[in-house]
Amino acid sequence: MDAPTKTIKELSAEVVEEFAVFDQWLDKYEYIIDLGKSLPEILPSDKVDANLIAGCQSRVWLACRCENGRLWFTADSDAIITKGIISLLINVYDGQKAEEVAASDFGFIEEIGLKENLSPTRAGGLAAMILKIKTYAKEYAQG
Amino acid sequence: MDKKLAEIRKRVPALSLQVAGRDLVYLDNAATSQKPYSVLQMQTSLSEAASGNVHRAIHRLSVEATEAYEAGRAAVCRFINADSVILTSGATASLNLLAFCFAERYLGPGDKVLLTEAEHHSNLVPWQMACARKGAEVCFLPIDESGEPDLEVFARSLDSRVKLVALPHISNILGVVNPLEEMISIAHSRGIPVAVDGAQGIVHAKVDVQALDCDFYAFSGHKIYAPTGTGVLYGRRSLLEEMPPYMGGGDMVGHVSYGQTTYNELPLKFEAGTPNFTGAACFAPALTFASELREDAELQAYGRKITEYLMEALPTIDGLKLYGVPKDIGRKSGVFSMTIEGTHPSDLAQLLDQMGIAVRSGLMCAEPFVSKYSQTGMLRASLLPYNTMDEAEYFVQSLRRAVKMLR
Ligand SMILES: Cc1ncc(COP(=O)(O)O)c(C=O)c1O
């Protein structure tokens, strides 16, 4: 797989811009749902309990492999909004260097106000997804 | 009618809230009700007033607290036509008290407690715990999507090992009024007592524990306009007298010596410790409000119309399946659970929230039953008499829109 041409910073700035276009949260959700629908299918071998993220109301699988120091993610969820959110994260972090992912503050998530517009259980799920990505990144950054 | 409803809604301040920039459409009443001013004001005035503890001191404040608490109890007794009730912190507390104390006195190895398949966890887990302790067994009366128990199967399930039937008056998923009169009379003909989880029943059905002839009836205050942390357990006196107390401590005692203790009379025998007396006092205004809405024939007829509308309109949404569809629609109360093909209930609830609508999604504290039908949970809308036809129509429209967005 080719490394992304843009940095985490550039990609997350794009997300923030993208979200600024919509003034209604419902439109933002429409966008997230589309992201969810377009998320590439997860490998069946990755859709296993070991890759389930605890703390989400719906089931979320997130797998990560590292090639030449870069992280590649595959994910799935039985809820489409959740899938869209994870897709949003993957679009920014897929193919980035493990050290850079580990060092990222995930600030764009704050900036788009996603957390406030999620139910507390979903917001907890979002936090769990971010933690999972960070944990993968730290593991591979050290290894 | 519109004017009358507007008046009623004005008395419940939360109903005028805005969510996501729109008027809130609150359809999660089966989880908890919104409280009228009369209740909120009593709560504040009791909290603002100096507090005395109940049943303790001779001084004025204590006497006033006791009077307010007992007035709350009296209001509950009138509401369900009971001679006395035990006040608790909620339906869950009532059912745990019942399961523990009933098991202590009446359950032994090999005995059975019969529940339905559609129990709320609060009327399931306490019985599992009690039966595990006593070497007894929990068994289940099958319930299908119609929500109606088969009375012949029920009668056949009542063998000599069954020591208690515990079932919901109205399941929080199915919203169907169970035929309690028939079931109680069948159980009693075999000498088996019946406990009713009335958490939803108290809200949607008229309850007269003496006419019903049930042995126990449990419910929460917060679902029927009273504050959280209030609950009721009605029990047949002859059974309660036989049962040992639940918790020990203040108020439940007769005489205490270092060696042993005698217990207070009913209901205080089961009310150890300082109760939530400010909360319980609010049963008086809460149940006055509930009675007012219930006794208004026009409002009741309007509520029936909304139920009929939803039962007709919801199934027109492609792939929607309703749970709790009784042959006689008169048995359906304002609780509507559904699954919709190709959509996840939490996605639906999230989008509806953005449209200003509060509904419940998930396993709804009834995991075994929901899992039987669905991998991912259900979506539930539930009404109280303060809900309007406009809200019901807006819900159906919005649901249709949400489904379209998700597919
Ligand atoms: C049928 C039923 N039983 C029991 C309960 C438990 O009530 P609470 O949580 O107020 O104790 C509920 C509330 O959700 C219910 O719907």
Side-chain angles (χ1 to χ4, degrees), chain B residues 243-321:
Chain B
M243 286 158 48
Y246 185 40
M247 298 194 291
D251 254 12
M252 56 75 74
V253 299
H255 290 285
V256 183
S257 71
Y258 291 117
Q260 62 176 5
T261 294
T262 62
Y263 305 125
N264 204 337
E265 310 219 315
L266 290 171
L268 296 183
K269 171 174 130 184
F270 291 105
E271 292 182 10
T274 298
N276 176 8
F277 57 86
T278 47
C282 297
F283 265 124
L287 297 179
T288 301
F289 185 67
S291 302
E292 182 192 329
L293 303 189
R294 179 166 294 172
E295 279 152 26
D296 187 323
E298 200 188 359
L299 201 58
Q300 287 301 310
Y302 180 80
R304 297 302 322 160
K305 262 205 342 236
I306 300 182
T307 294
E308 282 160 21
Y309 161 73
L310 285 173
M311 292 301 279
E312 225 178 87
L314 285 170
T316 65
I317 294 177
D318 178 43
L320 185 146
K321 177 166 177 202

Side-chain angles (χ1 to χ4, degrees), chain B residues 59-75:
Chain B
H59 62 75
R60 191 69 237 147
L61 295 180
S62 174
V63 171
E64 279 170 9
T66 307
E67 278 169 4
Y69 183 56
E70 291 303 330
R73 191 194 308 276

Side-chain angles (χ1 to χ4, degrees), chain B residues 30-31 90-93 95 120 122 168 170-172 197 199-200 220 222-223:
Chain B
T92 302
L95 293 165
H120 187 282
S122 293
I170 296 176
S171 138
N172 60 308
D197 169 1
Q200 300 297 335
S220 289
H222 69 93
K223 293 189 203 277

Side-chain angles (χ1 to χ4, degrees), chain A residues 5-20:
Chain A
T5 52
K6 292 176 184 164
T7 64
I8 292 177
K9 218 168 158 192
E10 285 162 350
L11 286 164
S12 41
E14 280 180 17
V15 173
V16 174
E17 254 170 61
E18 204 80 68
F19 268 75

Side-chain angles (χ1 to χ4, degrees), chain A residues 65-83:
Chain A
R65 48 185 58 76
C66 185
E67 281 165 27
N68 304 325
R70 291 182 182 274
L71 303 181
W72 300 95
F73 297 95
T74 58
D76 196 11
S77 171
D78 43 19
I80 195 79
I81 293 177
T82 312
K83 208 166 151 179

